Amino acid sequence: MKKQTILFISVLFILAILLTGCSQDAEEGTYQIPSPVEGKYNVAFVYVGPHDDAGWSQSHDVARLYAEENMEDVHTAYVENVAEGADAEQVVRSLARKGFDVIFTTSFGFMDATEIVASEFPDIDFIHISGYKANGENFGNLMGAMEDIKYLAGMLAGSRAKMDGNPKLGYMATFPIPEELRLGNAFALGVQKTCPECTIDVRFINTWHDPLLEQEGAESLFEAGAQVVMTGADTPAPAIAAPEGKWGITYDYKGNCTVDACLTSMYWNWAPEYMRIIEASREGTWKGGWEYFDADTGALGLYGFMEGEELMPGVADLPEEDLNLVRDLLAQMLAGEFDRFDVFKGPITDNQGNQVLAEDVSLEQLDLDGFAEFGSECTTCMYWWNENITAELPSLEE
């Protein structure tokens, strides 16, 4: 792709976030709070970014629209660009006061706010995405094993780097939380399968959605020598920023792998899970617990390898042996024969030479979700980097 086109796409993403951020009005403070529709089952969503960010929030919004279009007498609405913390609590409480039946909050930093408001409105169901809290009643937690897909993406990245003769890769992470280390380690374990000699550098950008910071973070990794950069943030910055002959792997939304430099996207299809929860809530059978789904639900995808999709140019010419390895393992995941506990099965060694897991020993769910430093009762936990990651562990001090 020509540099002018890449620049144009970058500018569009920047304008999108700026314009969307200015669209909020003064109702309920700085956010426009929608109203429920009488006679419908009303479901609200709270997004940390714009609904059309080509990433995390858009993946949720596509599922929201699908649920509304395919469920009888269901009305949905959303509030976007909600800051984590006090703003989130204000927005969630406002939606509850308006009378929504179900409220989904879709960012890790919305967890405490959702918990607080759920305790005030016991007749409303609250589902928080990506955290670890629940009350067993009207407040639950939902997340999926994206580590399955990042493991497969790591295999592709390792194969590409090995084929290109450059064993350096990069991971652009968001915040130092268990989710980001879990997904980075899954990617690293996949890289090991196809490129044992490859190493991975890490950049933390401390944001979920910031087109400028994401672009700068990706460029920093490429300038440091990375052949392939994988992201944990929202925009397709790694693919857009990739110099000629290098590659990016995008995240969250299947529609963001649009330039030739994109190897694949690791994406969410939240619709099946949302529809299941909404219907259970309407029937009065949903209870707020800890729900964690794997690839066999159909809610996770690897772009280019799912039905009806074509391989991107940077993947199509990879060794057939590696492609078959990815295809076969994906088929096992979709059949429920390989899951997150198989991804994190020993032997695993960290980058300090310590044994994380012995052979055939797997992490448990608490380990996947937690840092002991954050108060988790996990045993092995997730505060470690796999042996092929060259970065130091991030500080957990606030």
Side-chain angles (χ1 to χ4, degrees):
M1 172 173 286
K2 294 181 179 179
K3 291 182 178 179
Q4 295 92 330
T5 306
I6 295 174
L7 178 61
F8 177 71
I9 293 174
S10 302
V11 170
L12 285 179
F13 276 106
I14 295 167
L15 287 174
I17 180 66
L18 291 176
L19 290 173
T20 311
C22 295
S23 67
Q24 298 162 341
D25 66 23
E27 185 181 349
E28 302 290 348
T30 58
Y31 299 94
Q32 182 177 0
I33 305 300
S35 297
V37 174
E38 188 175 353
K40 300 280 190 178
Y41 202 70
N42 289 281
V43 185
F45 294 78
V46 183
Y47 302 149
V48 71
H51 73 284
D52 54 356
D53 65 354
W56 173 258
S57 293
Q58 189 160 357
S59 71
H60 291 284
D61 201 57
V62 168
R64 175 189 70 82
L65 289 169
Y66 186 89
E68 183 171 83
E69 293 168 0
N70 291 276
M71 299 185 75
E72 187 174 355
D73 294 328
V74 168
H75 167 71
T76 68
Y78 66 90
V79 184
E80 61 189 352
N81 291 319
V82 177
E84 297 173 333
D87 280 18
E89 185 176 333
Q90 168 197 316
V91 168
V92 177
R93 184 176 288 110
S94 297
L95 290 166
R97 286 173 175 164
K98 285 283 187 99
F100 281 89
D101 300 294
V102 182
I103 300 173
F104 289 93
T105 59
T106 65
S107 187
F108 183 86
F110 296 161
M111 178 173 61
D112 291 342
T114 310
E115 179 184 37
I116 291 169
V117 180
S119 68
E120 301 170 3
F121 295 88
D123 295 329
I124 297 174
D125 290 332
F126 297 81
I127 300 92
H128 174 248
I129 310 299
S130 80
Y132 53 83
K133 292 184 176 182
N135 67 7
E137 297 176 357
N138 71 320
F139 170 49
N141 171 256
L142 176 70
M143 190 56 178
M146 185 52 74
E147 50 266 36
D148 297 352
I149 306 302
K150 295 222 172 184
Y151 183 68
L152 298 175
M155 293 182 187
L156 296 175
S159 180
R160 184 72 255 177
K162 186 173 184 178
M163 186 173 178
D164 291 343
N166 178 8
K168 295 182 178 180
L169 296 96
Y171 169 37
M172 187 167 66
T174 57
F175 296 95
I177 59 176
E179 175 186 342
E180 289 295 87
L181 271 72
R182 176 175 74 244
L183 298 181
N185 280 325
F187 177 75
L189 289 165
V191 168
Q192 275 188 307
K193 291 292 185 181
T194 53
C195 186
E197 66 273 25
C198 279
T199 59
I200 303 165
D201 194 7
V202 180
R203 296 282 188 279
F204 278 92
I205 59 174
N206 295 304
T207 181
W208 295 112
H209 181 90
D210 186 317
L212 287 176
L213 284 179
E214 292 178 57
Q215 189 84 4
E216 291 170 0
E219 290 172 351
S220 172
L221 286 164
F222 283 122
E223 289 169 1
Q227 185 65 19
V228 182
V229 172
M230 185 270 288
T231 184
D234 287 353
T235 77
I240 294 171
E244 186 175 354
K246 294 193 174 185
W247 314 89
I249 296 177
T250 58
Y251 184 31
D252 290 326
Y253 176 54
K254 69 180 296 184
N256 65 15
C257 194
T258 58
V259 299
D260 286 352
C262 179
L263 287 182
T264 186
S265 182
M266 311 154 294
Y267 65 84
W268 300 90
N269 174 24
W270 292 98
E273 292 299 300
Y274 282 166
M275 293 172 70
R276 175 183 63 81
I277 291 172
I278 292 168
E279 192 57 42
S281 174
R282 180 159 56 179
E283 293 175 352
T285 60
W286 183 82
K287 293 294 181 183
W290 290 263
E291 299 183 77
Y292 203 103
F293 56 84
D294 271 288
D296 58 346
T297 61
L300 303 170
L302 181 68
Y303 188 77
F305 290 83
M306 313 308 288
E307 186 176 355
E309 298 173 356
E310 295 184 2
L311 297 178
M312 294 299 288
V315 170
D317 65 345
L318 291 178
E320 196 63 26
E321 179 183 1
D322 291 343
L323 292 177
N324 285 335
L325 180 64
V326 172
R327 290 187 183 107
D328 290 347
L329 195 53
L330 176 60
Q332 292 178 48
M333 290 178 178
L334 296 176
E337 299 168 357
F338 189 102
D339 61 20
R340 59 195 183 275
F341 304 112
D342 295 301
V343 170
F344 287 103
K345 178 180 287 187
I348 295 177
T349 302
D350 71 14
N351 65 0
Q352 301 301 307
N354 303 309
Q355 184 182 70
V356 177
L357 291 171
E359 187 170 0
D360 291 330
V361 176
S362 295
L363 291 182
E364 297 183 358
Q365 187 63 46
L366 277 175
D367 299 319
L368 294 174
D369 285 336
F371 291 162
E373 294 80 359
F374 284 3
S376 172
E377 296 180 359
C378 54
T379 302
T380 303
C381 307
M382 192 48 73
Y383 191 50
W384 51 274
W385 281 135
N386 193 56
E387 60 186 329
N388 57 350
I389 294 178
T390 58
E392 295 182 1
L393 284 168
S395 171
L396 300 184
E397 297 179 3
E398 294 186 359

